[in-house]
Amino acid sequence: MTTLISLEGVARDFDGGRIVALRDVNLAVANAESVAIVGASGSGKTTLIMLMCGIMLPSAGVIRWRGVPVTTLKSWTGLRRTEIGIVFQDFNLFPTLTAVENVEVAMLGTVASSRERRRRAKDGLQTVGLGERQSHLPHELSGGERQRVAIARSLVNDPSLILADEPTGNLDSISGTAIMNLLFDLQRSRDMTLVLVTHDRSHARLCKRQIQIRDGQVFEQAAGRPREVAK
Amino acid sequence: MNHVELAFRNLRRRPTRSLLTMLGVALAVGSFITLYGLSRSAYENVKQSIQDVPSDLTIRRAGAAELFGGAIPQSLISQIVEIPGVAAVTGELIALVESDNGDHVLAAGWTDDSFFWQSVPLDEGRLPRHGERKVALIGIDIADALQKHVGETISFLGEPFQIVGITRFKSVINRNEVVVPLADLQEVTFRPGAVTYLSVRLANPGDPADVDRVSSAIEAIDGLSVSKSEDVLRHDSMVGLLRAVSSSMAWVALLMGVLIVLNTLLMAVLERTREIGILSAIGWSAERIMGALVLEGFILSAAGSAIGILIGIVGAHLLGAIPAIGRYVAVRPTIGLLLATVFAAIGLGIFGSLYPAWRAARQSPAAALARG
């Protein structure tokens, strides 16, 4: 399988080197692969996700996208616009925009026609099962519904890679399970790459690969076998 | 949804603040239009008042800071009229004098043989007869204000004058002016034999060489300064001072509008740090984020300017209603001034939003997202 994104000798420190979040990370993620990143709180999972989408630049090492080094924030912004979708733990929706408008915001700059943006946003919400809730504001939606809006937003530009940072962290177990099933269904049906940060071992086991982060270092775990979360 | 709708949605989130910002810009624009209009109109009105009674050269006391500030002996008229190339010379005494109701009225004293009489547009009545004393021509606006008619009397510094005619000059200054025989005004103001300035008509006003020669001959007389009549205001320090003060106040008002926009958007950027981080996370470029903030600044200043035009027009009318101003200056904001002000306000509003927008665009998306 072709490598989509790779990290070579990547390190990230803060506070002038006093805090080392990640050290010498070497990791390659292939097209259409699903990878779980697990580890204790503060182990560097979120930092790794931030580096993989260019919201943060590494202190050392190289990150390649389809084999090409990506070194500037500007290049990463372009990738996030079209190639990388991000799902956050706390949804990060705009409180004054309706569900459909929250999805549309991601297309301001990629889709010129406002009619086309609206059509694709509605389709996206339909896909995540929110066809009837598109004119609701975030505070009128449940946590699970908000996360579905965030997933629809992350998918609306047909990205190759979805980075999901603890997407069920703020949800109850039933909503969490539903969101996980949705994410994996979409990943498989669209042949996307999914990198999932999670505390939940059962969610991690749904991925083809599991990466353990401990004290800023990455350890590959034995390959798992993708399967459905118990409904 | 598009960028404009998104900007409106963001501004509507804080309706009170957005409204106050717009009103701040509106007041700045309104003040600018009123004050700058006053400055422009003051100049135009004085210029028009000079053009109402045309002459070619104006002679004033050398070193006098403003046109009405010096005194020249009337006896010089006979000396200057002898200069070759001079067709006619007349003197005018200007004074602000107390009238019937304690109001101050601008009075002009003209000699019997002044060529100014030929330029008087009479609305009613007649001109003073040769040698006639204690008679007055009053401007139509001051006649209306004081409810005076032909045949009635009006007093200046306690002396009664009979109104023989009402004038309808173009300039608001002359429409509020009273013209009396020079000798009478010299008498009531205790300035016998003095005029404020002299006006000259030339035999060949279109010949620059002749104009220069006559000017030099007049300036050879000790203590006199000569200007072409159309240029006389350029050297008038009172008009210059009025224009400078009102222009400065106008620009200060407009700059305050810029600071208001800057402050509002800076607050918005600080409050929306996390949202700006989210925009960056979903692929908005720094330029797009900057553009969105500048668009909000544009909307605030454009809406504020629209309200400001109304305030400016109303303000100009209110200024004109103050007798101390309205009798000498008709404050009329022109379409050109309104458009220039709106463009300036919108331009400065955009300028004021650039710094907050730049701050928003340059902040680290990771740090912005970390803000809860």
Side-chain angles (χ1 to χ4, degrees), chain A residues 94-172:
Chain A
F94 296 97
T96 53
L97 302 185
T98 61
V100 72
E101 288 167 341
N102 260 290
V103 179
E104 277 184 81
V105 162
M107 288 182 281
L108 286 171
T110 58
V111 179
S113 150
S114 70
R115 186 172 296 186
E116 176 65 7
R117 284 198 294 268
R118 179 54 59 104
R119 188 191 66 73
R120 284 173 62 169
K122 283 182 173 179
D123 286 353
L125 288 174
Q126 201 78 43
T127 306
V128 298
L130 282 182
E132 306 302 313
R133 311 279 281 164
Q134 47 190 260
S135 25
H136 286 69
L137 291 166
H139 71 84
E140 297 167 335
L141 301 171
S142 69
E145 287 172 329
R146 285 183 221 177
Q147 196 57 293
R148 284 170 189 268
V149 176
I151 290 171
R153 183 178 66 187
S154 71
L155 294 173
V156 78
N157 287 316
D158 285 329
S160 313
L161 171 65
I162 291 287
L163 299 171
D165 187 6
E166 306 260 16
T168 60
N170 281 342
L171 302 178
D172 60 68

Side-chain angles (χ1 to χ4, degrees), chain A residues 50 54-56 73-74 77-78 80-81 84 86 88 90 92-98 101-102 104-110 114 117-118 137 153 157, chain B residues 1-6 9-10 12-14 274-288 362-367 369-372:
Chain A
M50 295 278 196
I55 281 178
M56 197 181 276
L73 285 172
K74 198 177 175 75
T77 303
R80 287 197 301 275
R81 190 158 57 238
I84 302 173
I86 310 170
F88 300 94
D90 42 9
N92 280 338
L93 300 179
F94 296 97
T96 53
L97 302 185
T98 61
E101 288 167 341
N102 260 290
E104 277 184 81
V105 162
M107 288 182 281
L108 286 171
T110 58
S114 70
R117 284 198 294 268
R118 179 54 59 104
L137 291 166
R153 183 178 66 187
N157 287 316
Chain B
M1 194 187 55
N2 53 38
H3 287 92
V4 177
E5 285 176 65
L6 186 62
R9 200 68 68 87
N10 283 329
R12 280 212 300 265
R13 279 171 77 176
R14 304 270 188 279
R274 188 175 174 82
E275 284 180 31
I276 289 163
I278 298 168
L279 288 174
S280 178
I282 62 175
W284 277 44
S285 63
E287 293 80 9
R288 189 172 294 277
R362 72 185 279 271
Q363 67 190 6
S364 147
L369 285 170
R371 290 266 297 260

Side-chain angles (χ1 to χ4, degrees), chain B residues 6 19 29 48 78 87 91 105 110 112-113 137 148 164 180 199 211 225 278 288 296 298 318 324 350-351:
Chain B
L6 186 62
L19 192 66
V29 167
Q48 179 66 58
S78 54
V105 172
W110 293 354
D112 283 350
D113 55 355
L137 290 180
K148 294 288 183 184
V164 294
V180 297
S199 297
V211 173
S225 162
I278 298 168
R288 189 172 294 277
E296 288 181 29
F298 169 81
L318 291 177
I350 290 173
F351 178 71

